[in-house]
């Protein structure tokens, strides 16, 4: 059984002391592929170091996280453009697999909403230019995110709505914009709500994620999340759809690999 963690911050400070052990534990649980979202320029080196250590397992994204959109966001976007361009050169040995995580976050404050909207739109257009998926971060901002997706919709817009926490109508709307739903630890929460309607969404429209070190699933809720805990998400999703864990793993892994255009030899 092969699993994909479509969203994990393995370069985070939270893993500074035991990164190798955390990754090994996940590999032993069958999680073989880790997709790594960006935050801002200060984390780029950590991402590259991680990729160099685990080149067959870690696959990087590039982007500016909405909570890191501040007064200097234009220089941060320039960093994103430059890094993406470097890996689009013919001599480049590595590539980015998505533009992410990008989006809108209004949970803490709305001070930089205008800048977040601008950064979101520009990064979507960057993804389109290079035929890459986007990975969306949305917190307290469904209306704003959907307004942007409506403007940018088309066959060249696709990706993952990371850490989806909306309702059924919002799920269907996200899917209408060629987005898969990233399902993580929240699906195991008693008050998470998405478990109430998820079965109404065809399983081909979801992928699995942890968002480690954040949002650990039950029974680890409140503790540091790890990619190995993806198996708890898998178990809950299998229970919701009333199918085997093996079936969920096969479907969601295939979907994830297709979204990120990652071809692997040992997955049929």
């Amino acid at each position: 059984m092969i699993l994909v963690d479509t969203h994990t911050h393995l370069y985070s400070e939270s893993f500074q002391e035991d990164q190798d052990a955390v990754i090994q534990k996940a590999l032993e649980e069958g999680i073989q592929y880790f997709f790594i979202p960006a935050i801002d320029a200060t984390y780029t080196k950590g991402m590259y170091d991680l990729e160099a250590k685990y080149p067959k397992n870690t696959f990087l994204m590039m982007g500016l996280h909405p909570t890191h959109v501040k007064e200097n966001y234009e220089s941060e976007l320039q960093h994103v453009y430059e890094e993406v361009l470097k890996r689009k050169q013919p001599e480049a040995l590595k590539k980015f697999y998505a533009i992410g995580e990008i989006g809108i976050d209004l949970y803490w404050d709305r001070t930089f909403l205008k800048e977040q909207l601008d950064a979101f739109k520009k990064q979507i257009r960057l993804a389109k230019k290079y035929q890459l998926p986007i990975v969306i971060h949305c917190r307290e901002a469904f209306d704003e995110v959907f307004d942007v997706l409506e403007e940018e919709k088309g066959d060249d817009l696709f990706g993952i709505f990371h850490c989806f926490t909306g309702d059924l109508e919002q799920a269907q709307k996200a899917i209408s914009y060629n987005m898969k739903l990233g399902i993580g630890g929240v699906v195991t929460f008693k008050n998470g709500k998405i478990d109430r309607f998820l079965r109404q969404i065809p399983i081909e429209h979801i992928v699995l994620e942890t968002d480690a070190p954040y949002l650990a699933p039950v029974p680890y809720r409140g503790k540091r999340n790890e990619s190995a805990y993806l198996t708890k998400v898998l178990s809950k999703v299998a229970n919701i759809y009333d199918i085997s864990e093996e079936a969920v793993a096969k479907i969601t892994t295939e979907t994830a690999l297709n979204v990120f255009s990652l071809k692997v030899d040992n997955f049929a």
Side-chain angles (χ1 to χ4, degrees):
M1 186 166 64
I2 298 172
L3 289 167
V4 177
D5 189 347
T6 60
H7 201 104
T8 177
H9 299 268
L10 289 170
Y11 55 86
S12 166
E13 297 91 341
S14 297
F15 301 118
Q16 187 173 356
E17 301 299 323
D18 62 348
Q19 184 187 73
D20 292 329
V22 165
I23 292 173
Q24 187 57 43
K25 182 178 175 183
L27 291 170
E28 290 170 359
E29 291 287 350
I31 299 100
Q32 294 191 20
Y33 306 107
F34 309 90
F35 286 88
I36 313 297
I39 296 177
D40 67 16
T42 64
Y43 289 93
T44 301
K45 182 181 184 302
M47 293 171 60
Y48 289 165
D49 289 346
L50 174 68
E51 178 188 52
K53 286 172 68 177
Y54 296 94
K56 295 181 180 179
N57 307 103
T58 57
F59 305 91
L60 305 187
M61 311 178 201
M62 178 50 62
L64 177 59
H65 192 291
T67 62
H68 288 244
V69 173
K70 307 295 182 185
E71 294 92 343
N72 69 333
Y73 84 101
E74 290 183 337
S75 65
E76 284 284 352
L77 286 180
Q78 187 60 36
H79 173 75
V80 171
Y81 300 152
E82 289 173 358
E83 295 305 304
V84 171
L85 184 58
K86 285 178 189 176
R87 291 195 165 205
K88 282 296 178 181
Q89 299 308 307
E91 67 273 16
L93 299 177
K94 292 289 184 178
K95 60 181 270 189
F96 290 117
Y97 289 82
I99 301 299
E101 62 190 281
I102 63 175
I104 309 291
D105 189 317
L106 302 179
Y107 180 77
W108 299 108
D109 66 63
R110 304 175 67 93
T111 304
F112 293 100
L113 174 57
K114 179 181 176 182
E115 291 83 358
Q116 286 192 43
L117 287 166
D118 187 46
F120 189 26
K121 292 175 185 177
K122 285 177 176 175
Q123 291 181 99
I124 288 175
R125 290 163 192 167
L126 178 66
K128 289 180 174 182
K129 179 179 179 179
Y130 293 114
Q131 297 86 50
L132 291 170
I134 61 172
V135 173
I136 298 173
H137 172 109
C138 173
R139 195 172 188 194
E140 301 291 335
F142 276 103
D143 290 344
E144 290 80 2
V145 166
F146 284 142
D147 285 346
V148 173
L149 295 182
E150 180 64 27
E151 289 180 31
E152 299 292 338
K153 66 182 179 182
D155 292 340
D156 55 354
L157 177 69
F158 67 104
I160 295 172
F161 214 109
H162 147 64
C163 191
F164 185 80
T165 55
D167 58 25
L168 176 59
E169 181 181 358
Q170 290 165 331
Q172 292 169 333
K173 194 166 187 177
I175 291 168
S176 76
Y177 293 118
N178 296 328
M179 297 295 139
K180 304 302 181 184
L181 307 182
I183 304 300
V186 174
V187 77
T188 69
F189 298 173
K190 287 184 178 179
N191 61 346
K193 299 181 181 179
I194 57 175
D195 60 317
R196 302 176 190 174
F197 69 82
L198 190 59
R199 191 170 178 174
Q200 298 179 58
I201 300 296
I203 195 171
E204 290 78 13
H205 290 301
I206 74 169
V207 293
L208 306 184
E209 63 168 64
T210 61
D211 199 19
Y214 314 107
L215 295 171
V218 174
Y220 305 107
R221 188 175 184 182
K223 299 179 181 179
R224 183 188 72 172
N225 199 2
E226 299 182 15
S227 285
Y229 299 162
L230 192 69
T231 57
K232 301 299 182 184
V233 178
L234 171 71
S235 178
K236 180 65 176 182
V237 170
N239 180 263
I240 290 171
Y241 283 95
D242 194 24
I243 59 177
S244 69
E245 292 184 10
E246 289 76 14
V248 174
K250 186 176 189 304
I251 294 167
T252 57
T253 294
E254 183 173 14
T255 299
L257 296 178
N258 285 338
V259 169
F260 291 114
S261 296
L262 178 63
K263 293 177 171 53
V264 298
D265 295 332
N266 58 344
F267 184 79

